[in-house]
């Protein structure tokens, strides 16, 4: 429930205004939610810690794939011998893609690396470190939303595209949203372009749930960090001790969801004339981490205009990086 003690204002320029509106829309909804994309603009360091947690298997599984199969990947990407653009959506610190980049540089493949990330810290870090660690690498970082930056890249370069969307980032959307996103990527690609997506596969439910409820509490801190950002940037007064991190997993649908639960009946005030009321035990939906069976990934490829070319699995077959080709 929302009570207004004043009028909404445009604050801090268009970008912050968009953040404010998204927060207000989510917290005023009948079922409260916050958009997970805002976790990463200020929480990228915490996410790096999550990936190092012993319970968080996706990073290790995908690292297994990249370490041992990067040569085969590089050969598929460079099969025509032409100059191509290697575009990575949400690269993080490029720990995994580093193996692929190193193999491509070693093979003298003609490519330019375009990492795209919503976090400016991520892009700045990559631009500073990678050219030093990989002499000869051509890199052009792009800070912003994936689809917007993809359109911008089309105006910069008409070369063939190989797009990487790894780390199970596709899982941050439900199946319908993910299929739509893949269609939108398809609309920004040309026939013959390649897309490699990292899919976290269905497995024993406890293994999955533990990955989003680590004993160190880093995932909890990552979720609560968004409330701290709202306090800082929107002049709110969230008491993070009054919210509990609560993950759930449905093995039937493959949906692993994270919530923050209000521990008490409370009000949160914003410095722009707004008050949000929370009921005791009221959930705020924070994020989904969707898990897949391989036939579901094939179906998504067909529905979004691609055809599966190759499946790269880790040794446990808990994860798959799947290469798709863009069809007309």
């Amino acid at each position: 429930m929302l009570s207004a003690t004043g009028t909404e204002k445009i604050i801090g320029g268009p970008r912050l205004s968009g953040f404010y509106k998204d927060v207000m829309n989510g917290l005023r909804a009948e079922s409260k939610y916050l958009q997970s994309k805002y976790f990463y603009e200020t929480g990228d360091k915490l996410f790096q810690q999550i990936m190092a947690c012993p319970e968080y298997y996706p990073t290790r599984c995908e690292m297994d794939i990249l370490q041992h199969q990067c040569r085969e990947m590089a050969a598929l990407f460079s099969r025509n011998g032409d100059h191509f653009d290697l575009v990575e959506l949400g690269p993080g610190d490029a720990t995994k893609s580093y193996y692929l980049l190193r193999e491509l540089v070693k093979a003298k493949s003609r490519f330019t690396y375009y990492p795209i990330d919503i976090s400016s810290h991520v892009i700045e870090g990559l631009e500073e470190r990678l050219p030093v660690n990989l002499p000869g690498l051509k890199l052009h970082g792009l800070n912003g939303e994936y689809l917007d930056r993809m359109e911008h890249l089309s105006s910069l370069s008409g070369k063939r595209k190989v797009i990487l969307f790894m780390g199970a980032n596709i899982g941050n959307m439900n199946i319908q949203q993910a299929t739509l996103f893949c269609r939108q990527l398809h609309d920004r690609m040309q026939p013959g372009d390649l897309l490699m997506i990292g899919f976290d596969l269905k497995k024993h439910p406890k293994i999955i749930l533990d990955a989003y409820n680590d004993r160190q509490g880093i995932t909890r801190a990552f979720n609560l960090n968004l409330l701290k950002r709202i306090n800082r940037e929107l002049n709110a007064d969230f008491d993070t001790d009054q919210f509990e991190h609560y993950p759930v997993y449905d093995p039937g649908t493959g949906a692993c969801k994270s919530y923050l639960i209000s521990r008490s009946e409370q009000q949160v005030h914003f410095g722009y004339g707004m008050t949000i009321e929370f009921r005791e035990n009221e959930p705020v939906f924070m994020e989904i981490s969707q898990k897949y069976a391989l036939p579901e990934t094939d179906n998504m490829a067909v529905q979004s205009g691609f055809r599966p070319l190759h499946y790269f699995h880790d040794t446990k077959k808990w994860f798959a990086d799947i290469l798709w080709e863009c069809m007309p």
Side-chain angles (χ1 to χ4, degrees), residues 53-67:
C53 288
E55 300 92 339
Y56 194 77
Y57 63 85
T59 301
R60 294 192 302 276
C61 289
E62 196 168 30
M63 188 72 79
D64 177 0
I65 294 171
L66 270 296
Q67 283 179 323

Side-chain angles (χ1 to χ4, degrees), residues 40-196:
Y40 298 91
E41 289 189 55
T42 56
D44 46 279
K45 291 182 180 178
L46 279 171
F47 188 64
Q48 299 300 320
Q49 294 177 41
I50 289 172
M51 291 194 295
C53 288
E55 300 92 339
Y56 194 77
Y57 63 85
T59 301
R60 294 192 302 276
C61 289
E62 196 168 30
M63 188 72 79
D64 177 0
I65 294 171
L66 270 296
Q67 283 179 323
H68 297 103
Q69 300 177 66
C70 60
R71 181 173 298 179
E72 188 176 357
M73 289 179 180
L76 287 169
F77 295 172
S78 307
R79 64 186 181 212
N80 298 328
D82 57 345
H83 194 150
F84 64 94
D85 296 328
L86 182 67
V87 185
E88 184 168 11
L89 309 180
D93 62 0
T95 300
K96 295 185 295 292
S97 51
Y98 176 83
Y99 293 96
L100 179 56
L101 293 170
R102 185 178 64 183
E103 185 64 34
L104 287 166
V105 170
K106 179 181 175 182
K108 299 190 184 325
S109 298
R110 299 188 298 163
F111 75 103
T112 302
Y113 177 52
Y114 289 92
I116 300 177
D117 204 281
I118 195 170
S119 170
S120 59
H121 302 293
V122 165
I123 297 301
E124 290 165 4
L126 294 177
E127 290 180 331
E128 180 180 335
R129 294 191 309 273
L130 283 181
V132 175
N133 295 331
L134 292 171
L137 175 68
K138 296 179 180 178
L139 184 152
H140 184 156
L142 297 171
N143 175 218
E145 302 275 357
Y146 298 152
L147 296 175
D148 175 69
R149 295 295 84 190
M150 282 283 295
E151 288 188 5
H152 177 63
L153 178 55
S154 295
S155 68
L156 292 178
S157 169
K159 297 183 180 69
R160 181 172 64 89
K161 302 289 187 288
V162 177
I163 300 172
L164 308 178
F165 193 39
M166 301 192 298
N169 288 332
I170 194 74
N172 292 337
M173 313 168 216
N174 63 39
I175 294 175
Q176 293 74 27
Q177 292 167 336
T179 303
L180 174 60
F181 177 75
C182 290
R183 286 193 195 119
Q184 292 171 324
L185 281 179
H186 178 275
D187 291 344
R188 290 159 176 79
M189 298 169 66
Q190 298 296 321
D193 286 353
L194 300 178
L195 170 62
M196 190 167 76

Side-chain angles (χ1 to χ4, degrees), residues 211 229 262 287:
R229 179 186 175 188
S262 176
E287 186 172 31

Side-chain angles (χ1 to χ4, degrees), residues 24-41:
M24 286 294 107
N25 287 339
L27 295 182
R28 285 185 291 190
E30 184 175 350
S31 298
K32 290 185 173 66
Y33 67 91
L34 289 169
Q35 293 190 29
S36 61
K37 67 180 182 180
Y38 291 117
F39 293 7
Y40 298 91
E41 289 189 55

